[in-house]
Amino acid sequence: MNAIDMSPPSPVDAGLAHFPRADGSRTPYGVFTSPEIYALEQERIFRGPTWSFLGLEAEIKAPGDFKSTFIGDTPVVMTRTDSGGLAAWVNRCAHRGAMVCRQLRGNATSHACVYHQWRYDLEGNLFGVPFLRGLNGQAGMPADFDRAANGLRKLRVESYAGLVFATFSDTVEPLADYIGPTMAGYINRIFHKPVEYLGCTRQYSNSNWKLYLENVKDPYHASLLHLFHTTFNIFRVGMKAHCATDEGHGMHSIIMAIKQDQGETSTAYKDQKIRSFDSGFQLEDDSILALIPEYEVLATNHIQPIFPQLVIQQIHNTLVARQLLPKGPDHFELVFHFFGYADDDAEMRKLRIKQANLVGPAGYISMEDTEATELVQQGVVRDADATSIIDMARDAPEQSDTLITEKLIRSFWAGYQKLMGFDAAAAVGA
Ligand code: FES
Ligand SMILES: [Fe+2]
């Protein structure tokens, strides 16, 4: 995979955030609160040389199916075209800027803007303009008005293994190269056969979107914050683990935790007297903890963020493509798109839906994650130049078989610094 094109830092941008180190181990809190940095992210990340996840092909199976979503905070629609292809366009009328599509999802043969009824085909081409030629001898649009030149803004679209991505960039590498071979291998693990869309949950967090990316690159917290995890042996630090990044910019990553003998992992908690170890609890009905083997590697957890707005997740038998959508410096929306395989039997489908309760807004595990990101947001409201400490396992960069590490987070911030032009080299005192 080629490293994505990273523009050189400018002194102005460097002044927006002071990263004292290039290795991503110190992040200034201002990146979570600054409206200027948020605006720059929209340009350099979401409209920059990246591919943003829009949804699953399984969500738009038939010609005319569409879904409204976002790239960063820009409204975007993805559609299935008449010929069965994929299209995506910015959901902003070419006339005077109104949002054209106002539904979350549906099926349509064309899309009309409600304001003055300009009408577009599925690929975003303008074909209908009321009173184009005027009426009863009164003038309409000028003779030089060209419908072909005034369609919706079309985006480059590609899909990988049924995951649909789009980009504003004309220069970013093809999607498969952007994902890279290592991450593609893990995507293929989950998307190895046709999937079926089951539905979604949505939640809003009063925190910065990057705090959620830190969270899904942080195996260290998982067994300490989430009591459900440790109590019921879903995720414990003693488990066999695998943590890796892509071979390009290092902003995609994978965490896998693989089930081991319960006694072995319990000892790690008992020995250190960690509060989240408690052997006294049992579930009345433990069917939610079932783990029906269906992959070569029997992982309890597979958490794989593909930068910037996708997180692929397998926890036991529940499968999700999470979409992370920034809504300003201190808000984001998180959409959990649940899916199963097209050939699931009734029992497996039931289990996947039952285990959906582990994640999402009120999930036994996930509800603590957005709470933790909000605690950070509240804590970092001032002191923009104060930094977090991201040091766990910093002396062991090659170590990838542990859950006690912050190396994925460091790799993310190092890539972010470059992409945003916040190189430590440009900062004072680097
Ligand atoms: S703003 Fe869409 S038709 Fe006028
Ligand atoms: Fe978590």
Side-chain angles (χ1 to χ4, degrees):
M1 167 184 179
N2 302 322
I4 56 180
D5 175 28
M6 295 180 175
S7 23
S10 82
V12 177
D13 299 339
L16 279 179
H18 172 73
F19 281 82
R21 294 184 191 169
D23 68 358
S25 64
R26 294 292 182 275
T27 294
Y29 291 133
V31 299
F32 301 124
T33 57
S34 158
E36 290 80 18
I37 291 174
Y38 177 79
L40 197 64
E41 287 170 350
Q42 296 302 315
E43 291 310 313
R44 296 223 170 143
I45 295 174
F46 295 101
R47 290 173 178 234
T50 62
W51 285 95
S52 288
F53 172 67
L54 301 185
L56 298 166
E57 284 204 51
E59 291 179 77
I60 49 167
K61 286 202 270 203
D65 282 356
F66 67 84
K67 169 186 165 180
S68 334
T69 180
F70 295 86
I71 291 181
D73 56 16
T74 302
V76 160
V77 170
M78 73 168 187
T79 62
R80 179 74 67 178
T81 63
D82 290 330
S83 58
L86 297 164
W89 29 267
V90 174
N91 191 7
R92 184 187 62 235
C93 186
H95 180 216
R96 296 237 303 276
M99 242 169 66
V100 175
C101 177
R102 296 174 299 140
Q103 289 169 279
L104 278 177
R105 56 180 78 239
N107 183 279
T109 50
S110 65
H111 293 268
C113 175
V114 72
Y115 205 169
H116 315 86
Q117 294 291 318
W118 284 29
R119 188 171 284 278
Y120 304 89
D121 69 15
L122 298 178
E123 297 184 41
N125 301 303
L126 174 64
F127 69 89
V129 176
F131 311 120
L132 181 72
R133 303 280 166 247
L135 189 68
N136 298 333
Q138 309 283 344
M141 294 295 277
D144 64 0
F145 178 76
D146 177 10
R147 273 175 290 183
N150 288 288
L152 299 169
R153 171 149 187 196
K154 296 176 187 174
L155 301 173
R156 270 173 78 192
V157 193
E158 284 188 33
S159 74
Y160 182 85
L163 297 155
V164 183
F165 294 75
T167 181
F168 281 81
S169 171
D170 295 326
T171 55
V172 67
E173 65 227 282
L175 177 62
D177 295 338
Y178 176 77
I179 290 170
T182 301
M183 287 300 122
Y186 290 102
I187 293 178
N188 296 344
R189 173 179 184 265
I190 303 294
F191 292 90
H192 67 287
K193 57 181 173 177
V195 303
E196 194 163 307
Y197 188 66
L198 301 180
C200 69
T201 60
R202 291 168 184 276
Q203 68 192 100
Y204 288 86
S205 172
N206 298 318
S207 64
N208 185 275
W209 65 283
K210 300 184 295 300
L211 289 170
Y212 192 72
L213 274 186
E214 281 197 337
N215 178 273
V216 290
K217 291 171 179 289
D218 176 9
Y220 176 35
H221 87 279
S223 65
L224 299 166
L225 173 70
H226 302 302
L227 298 183
F228 196 87
H229 260 157
T230 38
T231 306
F232 301 115
N233 202 28
I234 293 178
F235 195 112
R236 288 177 171 178
V237 291
M239 282 180 169
K240 204 166 151 223
H242 186 64
C243 293
T245 63
D246 63 285
E247 47 282 274
H249 51 59
M251 297 165 92
H252 313 318
S253 56
I254 177 75
I255 297 170
M256 271 173 73
I258 297 149
K259 217 172 173 68
Q260 300 234 99
D261 172 57
Q262 168 144 1
E264 216 172 297
T265 59
S266 301
T267 316
Y269 288 82
K270 264 188 205 147
D271 289 352
Q272 297 204 25
K273 300 192 174 48
I274 294 171
R275 64 136 197 163
S276 59
F277 176 71
D278 196 328
S279 56
F281 289 102
Q282 275 193 337
L283 290 173
E284 270 305 297
D285 171 1
D286 66 358
S287 58
I288 195 164
L289 301 176
L291 176 56
I292 298 180
E294 53 180 338
Y295 307 103
E296 234 168 78
V297 177
L298 188 63
T300 60
N301 282 247
H302 169 134
I303 306 287
Q304 186 182 15
I306 299 295
F307 182 78
Q309 59 179 46
L310 167 66
V311 184
I312 298 166
Q313 167 235 297
Q314 171 244 321
I315 296 179
H316 283 219
N317 295 102
T318 190
L319 301 170
V320 183
R322 303 178 191 170
Q323 209 182 0
L324 171 60
L325 303 170
K327 301 288 175 195
D330 49 6
H331 291 90
F332 67 82
E333 182 182 9
L334 193 58
V335 190
F336 282 69
H337 298 288
F338 294 89
F339 61 92
Y341 296 113
D343 64 1
D344 282 349
D345 61 19
E347 185 200 0
M348 182 59 107
R349 186 57 57 84
K350 212 169 134 196
L351 181 62
R352 290 198 206 285
I353 293 168
K354 179 180 270 191
Q355 289 186 345
N357 291 297
L358 294 171
V359 295
Y364 295 141
I365 300 165
S366 302
M367 65 180 166
E368 288 134 5
D369 288 315
T370 38
E371 177 65 14
T373 64
E374 290 189 0
L375 291 174
V376 178
Q377 194 73 32
Q378 289 162 29
V380 302
V381 63
R382 286 288 150 205
D383 300 312
D385 285 333
T387 66
S388 49
I389 299 166
I390 311 173
D391 273 351
M392 190 58 84
R394 187 159 60 83
D395 287 342
E398 297 311 318
Q399 191 176 283
S400 62
D401 56 353
T402 176
L403 296 170
I404 310 171
T405 182
E406 290 176 319
K407 79 172 192 173
L408 305 182
I409 308 176
R410 284 191 291 277
S411 179
F412 164 69
W413 284 117
Y416 174 88
Q417 285 173 239
K418 286 191 196 138
L419 188 53
M420 290 288 286
F422 292 155
D423 288 278
V428 184

